[in-house]
Amino acid sequence: MEHLPPPAEELALLDRELAGLDLRRTQLLTRRAWLVSVLQQPGALQPATPGPWSPPQGRPSAPFAAPTPPARTRGAQNVLLTLGGLLLTVAAIAFTLVSWGQMGIGGRSAVLATLTVATLAAPAVLLRRGLSSTAESLAALASVLMVLDAYALHRVAVPQTGGLGFAAIASAVLAVLWAAYGLLLGGLRLPLPTAVLSAQLPLLLWAWAERADALVFAGALLVTAALDCAIALWGKGVAVRITACAGLVASGGAGLLVSLAQSLSAGTPTGALAPGALLLAGAALALSGARRAPAGPATAGGLVAGLAVVAAASAVVVAGVPDGWVVPVYLLCGGALLAGVRAPLGRPAGRGVVWASGVVTAGSVLFSLPPVAVSLVGPVSQLGRVWAGTPRDGARGALGATGLPWSQMGSAPAVLLVVAGALTVAYRSWEGVLRRAGSVLTPGPAARGAVGALAAVLGWAGLAVLPAALDVSYAVAVLLQSVLVAGVFAVAVCALRRGMTGTALTASVCGAVGAVGVALLSLSTEAATYAVFGALLVVCVAAAAALDASALAAPRTERVPAALQAVLACAAVVCAVVLTGAFGASLGLAAHRAAPLMLAVPAVTVVLGARLKGRAVALPVEVTGGAAALPAVAMAVGDMPFLALVLALCAVLAAGTALRPERRPVAGYLATALFVLAAWVRLSASGVSSPEAYTLPVTVPALVIGVLRRRRDPAASSWTAYGAGLAATLLPSLVAAWADPHWPRPLLLGAAALVITLLGARLRLQALLMLGGAVLALDALHELAPYVVQVVGTLPRWVAPALAGMLLLAVGATYEKRLRDARRLRDALGRMR
């Protein structure tokens, strides 16, 4: 067959045609993409008719370009105007400071006056034409020029006048001029706030120029604050009011702080009158502004007014009382402040007054807490002097706080008890308090519970610090603290019976803390220890019994009484343990001899657990009693025979507990472990070192239990039934055999392992076969090792590599058969139990 044209030419022709088709396809796809983009544009409602078109080359042109966003002319205009105003301001300052001295008086006046008047007049023209930004820039420049005019006037016209006095007059004049200018040109936003800022200075600069005392400064600040308050209430524009509010906070706060400092430093009531009058004036100012202010500022104004009134009244009284009773005076004045709740102050301002009373009360309580902390932490010092005798210096000596300034802290109990009493009255007369407060107080549903809990805490704290504050004797302090603990727990029980869970929980926590404190405090003498821990034991048992009754009477609070009852029962067990240990110490017994005596408490808890069966308190009592056996074990560690005795007694108690079905899973294992441990300790004390004497008493019962388990459950694994028992003896004996140079133990161990292995193979028990075989192999290796070493030493060195190579060749040649054997062995072991 002959090709026309030749194959090479035809192939080239086809390649050219295919390249043309690819180029045409690319052009069409590009045109299609451009048309789709045009149709997707928001303004393209009707696509324009395309003209002559040629294939696009390179990147697409204008139709594909993203539109350029319009320039933000307002932002650019502001930037330009700000920069222009700054440049003009810098030029004016440079002219005044540098070129001023090179001109005569006429030139100076003409230049500044002309420039200032022109700058002040220009904004009026610009505002009429709508150029507000330009007008604001020129107004800012005019403000700076007016300050420079004042400076120039002082340097040229009245240089002999004092700088501070002239600055006071100039700031007042400028404030008036800027205010008039801002009111005249209402479209400008800058002049009026500038006038408010300038108005902050005249009185302060005048007082500074006259070298007035602190009270005059405080008066000037308060007058300035009054002016700011008036502007904030009736001023024009948000910027003016915000500026006035900032000035009110700054000047008013500074004036009140200066007045407060002067009132606190006054040595006599007469000297505190003038600062008190300023504080009252500041309070009146705050209340007058709060009547017309929004809710938030009005509440803040009421708070400031209330604090100022308390400070003014307290300063006069405090100047005539001892230092230790300053806090009660402030507390009483803060409480008296609540009488103004019904005054026509408005709801927000009245709420601020109530907050002020609360702040004063909270501050008084905080100042009274240091002696409470000393009373709570001080008993820890008795741990270092147990039964060392009655402490000297009474209750303060027992707390280790004889060097503290108790004359200044002596009023702490009075403060705490007064606040606790007031809160108790409020708690009991809650509805009446709310009616009297009217709409000022709107507490949430949990507020009453919080008040009751706080009253309980503060009342307990005041009574707890009372013995140290009165400096009573050690015996009286211990008695008072014990009675306080009993009373607090009684309050907790009564509160729970009435359903007041929050108050009950708070009282319970306070009682627990107080019980720990009085318990530590009683360690100084033997008699106090017996008396206090005995009383605590009775109180805890009585409270737990009462809570049990309250749980039945009030099912809705069942969980809380159950938890508190468990805690109290455990505390009773702890007290019993301490009493038992103290009894052993009183008998003069050594620690290891007194250890069995400590087990009396766990024995009682075992009996109680059986009697309290089904109650929630039973398990915590038994667990605490079991934990009480740990000190007995620790006390007997120094004497091995007594340690074995204590462990055996603990095992007996655990076995007695295991008689109850619900405790058997845990107590049974615990009793077994304790019996074994007691036997081991006894053997060790007798000098027995053979491991079999320790392990066989464990192995035999374990195997018996395994046999019984297999009879009841034939499908049970042999590892579960016999693994632990066999390992308990075989493994320690194997370790001992490897370290034993004699032959009886390895021989007996090998015989036993052989019997176990044969039994495992006969009964098809995996555990016996594998454990027995492994021990037998290792025991045989131990016995044959010396001979193997001797034989290896006599053979040439090439024998070992040769034997290894032959073994590898044999295994490799029969690999498939060995693999099948290994699989059959695995399957056979898997079929075993």
Side-chain angles (χ1 to χ4, degrees):
M1 180 176 179
E2 189 173 348
H3 290 278
L4 293 175
E9 294 182 4
E10 186 178 359
L11 179 61
L13 179 63
L14 291 176
D15 289 339
R16 285 195 296 271
E17 291 293 333
L18 291 174
L21 290 175
D22 290 340
L23 178 61
R24 181 61 177 169
R25 176 179 174 80
T26 303
Q27 294 173 350
L28 293 175
L29 289 175
T30 304
R31 180 64 176 177
R32 181 182 183 279
W34 181 82
L35 292 174
V36 170
S37 65
V38 170
L39 292 175
Q40 288 179 350
Q41 292 180 2
L45 298 179
Q46 296 181 355
T49 302
W53 172 76
S54 60
Q57 302 292 332
R59 299 183 61 181
S61 58
F64 300 94
T68 302
R72 301 182 63 180
T73 56
R74 180 66 63 181
Q77 179 187 13
N78 291 334
V79 171
L80 293 176
L81 291 174
T82 303
L83 291 177
L86 288 176
L87 291 176
L88 289 176
T89 302
V90 171
I93 294 174
F95 167 76
T96 304
L97 297 178
V98 177
S99 301
W100 185 259
Q102 300 176 3
M103 300 178 64
I105 186 63
R108 302 172 193 172
S109 302
V111 170
L112 277 179
T114 302
L115 184 59
T116 302
V117 171
T119 308
L120 289 173
V125 179
L126 294 173
L127 287 175
R128 286 197 297 268
R129 297 189 178 184
L131 302 176
S132 58
S133 298
T134 307
E136 291 287 350
S137 300
L138 290 179
L141 176 61
S143 301
V144 177
L145 290 176
M146 292 176 72
V147 175
L148 295 177
D149 285 335
Y151 170 75
L153 180 62
H154 176 262
R155 294 294 302 271
V156 174
V158 284
Q160 70 280 1
T161 306
L164 292 175
F166 184 84
I169 298 173
S171 59
V173 173
L174 288 176
V176 174
L177 292 178
W178 281 328
Y181 186 69
L183 293 175
L184 182 62
L185 299 180
L188 296 178
R189 292 172 294 178
L190 184 61
L192 289 179
T194 306
V196 175
L197 288 177
S198 180
Q200 311 299 312
L201 300 177
L203 292 178
L204 287 179
L205 294 176
W206 168 79
W208 192 1
E210 297 296 328
R211 296 183 179 180
D213 56 5
L215 289 178
V216 177
F217 265 102
L221 288 170
L222 291 177
V223 172
T224 305
L227 177 61
D228 291 330
C229 182
I231 296 174
L233 293 176
W234 295 291
K236 179 183 178 181
V238 178
V240 174
R241 294 186 177 183
I242 292 177
T243 306
C245 288
L248 172 62
V249 172
S251 57
L256 290 176
L257 289 177
V258 173
S259 303
L260 177 62
Q262 292 297 310
S263 65
L264 293 177
S265 61
T268 60
T270 305
L273 290 177
L278 290 177
L279 289 172
L280 292 177
L285 174 63
L287 288 178
S288 63
R291 290 176 62 87
R292 299 175 179 85
T299 302
L303 173 63
V304 172
L307 293 177
V309 170
V310 172
S314 301
V316 178
V317 181
V318 163
V321 300
D323 293 338
W325 294 92
V326 172
V327 176
V329 171
Y330 278 93
L331 175 63
L332 294 177
C333 291
L337 191 63
L338 293 177
V341 172
R342 299 300 296 270
L345 302 176
R347 181 178 177 182
R351 186 182 297 113
V353 172
V354 174
W355 277 106
S357 178
V359 169
V360 175
T361 304
S364 302
V365 171
L366 289 178
F367 274 104
S368 304
L369 289 183
V372 177
V374 172
S375 299
L376 296 180
V377 179
V380 179
S381 62
Q382 299 303 316
L383 291 174
R385 52 186 311 272
V386 177
W387 290 5
T390 303
R392 294 183 297 178
D393 299 326
R396 296 177 183 176
L399 298 176
T402 56
L404 296 180
W406 287 100
S407 60
Q408 299 180 5
M409 298 189 302
S411 62
V415 172
L416 296 173
L417 293 176
V418 167
V419 176
L423 293 177
T424 303
V425 172
Y427 178 80
R428 297 178 65 88
S429 307
W430 189 252
E431 298 299 331
V433 170
L434 294 183
R435 284 196 302 270
R436 177 167 179 77
S439 61
V440 173
L441 291 179
T442 55
R448 185 180 183 185
V451 169
L454 187 58
V457 171
L458 295 180
W460 166 78
L463 294 175
V465 77
L466 192 60
L470 298 177
D471 195 17
V472 299
S473 63
Y474 169 75
V476 175
V478 172
L479 177 61
L480 291 178
Q481 296 287 7
S482 302
V483 172
L484 176 61
V485 171
V488 170
F489 278 121
V491 171
V493 172
C494 294
L496 274 177
R497 286 185 171 181
R498 296 177 181 177
M500 298 182 296
T501 306
T503 304
L505 289 175
T506 306
S508 300
V509 173
C510 294
V513 175
V516 173
V518 72
L520 293 175
L521 197 64
S522 67
L523 296 178
S524 295
T525 63
E526 184 176 357
T529 301
Y530 281 109
V532 169
F533 279 94
L536 291 178
L537 176 61
V538 173
V539 169
C540 291
V541 172
L547 286 176
D548 189 24
S550 69
L552 298 176
R556 62 178 179 175
T557 59
E558 182 177 357
R559 292 185 179 181
V560 173
L564 293 179
Q565 184 184 14
V567 172
L568 289 169
C570 295
V573 174
V574 173
C575 292
V577 171
V578 175
L579 287 174
T580 306
F583 181 68
S586 298
L587 294 178
L589 299 177
H592 63 277
R593 294 185 179 275
L597 185 63
M598 298 288 292
L599 296 179
V601 177
V604 174
T605 58
V606 170
V607 178
L608 284 177
R611 294 294 302 273
L612 297 173
K613 182 179 179 181
R615 296 179 182 270
V617 76
L619 181 60
V621 167
E622 293 181 67
V623 172
T624 308
L630 297 178
V633 175
M635 293 168 62
V637 167
D639 189 277
M640 299 298 286
F642 269 92
L643 179 59
L645 175 62
V646 170
L647 291 174
L649 293 175
C650 292
V652 171
L653 295 177
T657 305
L659 295 176
R660 297 159 52 194
E662 70 274 10
R663 301 286 187 258
R664 188 170 300 157
V666 176
Y669 287 110
L670 181 61
T672 302
L674 288 174
F675 272 126
V676 170
L677 187 58
W680 287 358
V681 172
R682 181 67 260 185
L683 290 173
S684 176
S686 301
V688 177
S689 58
S690 298
E692 292 78 11
Y694 297 87
T695 57
L696 283 176
V698 178
T699 297
V700 174
L703 293 179
V704 172
I705 295 174
V707 172
L708 296 177
R709 171 71 183 278
R710 291 273 296 175
R711 285 184 179 180
R712 295 175 60 183
D713 184 12
S717 172
S718 61
W719 288 101
T720 304
Y722 308 119
L726 292 175
T729 293
L730 291 178
L731 297 182
S733 297
L734 179 62
V735 175
W738 272 67
D740 193 351
H742 305 289
W743 59 271
R745 177 180 279 112
L747 178 61
L748 293 175
L749 178 63
L754 178 60
V755 172
I756 293 172
T757 304
L758 294 176
L759 286 175
R762 177 69 179 82
L763 301 176
R764 303 182 63 80
L765 297 176
Q766 188 181 109
L768 276 68
L769 179 62
M770 297 190 68
L771 279 175
V775 172
L776 180 61
L778 292 174
D779 186 63
L781 178 62
H782 173 264
E783 293 302 312
L784 295 177
Y787 304 102
V788 173
V789 172
Q790 184 178 3
V791 170
V792 171
T794 58
L795 292 177
R797 295 186 176 181
W798 56 268
V799 173
L803 292 176
M806 293 174 62
L807 178 63
L808 292 176
L809 289 175
V811 172
T814 60
Y815 177 74
E816 295 295 335
K817 186 174 183 299
R818 299 285 80 77
L819 186 60
R820 289 194 298 270
D821 294 340
R823 289 173 178 171
R824 284 198 297 271
L825 178 61
R826 183 193 64 186
D827 295 338
L829 289 175
R831 288 191 295 271
M832 290 183 177
R833 282 307 200 182

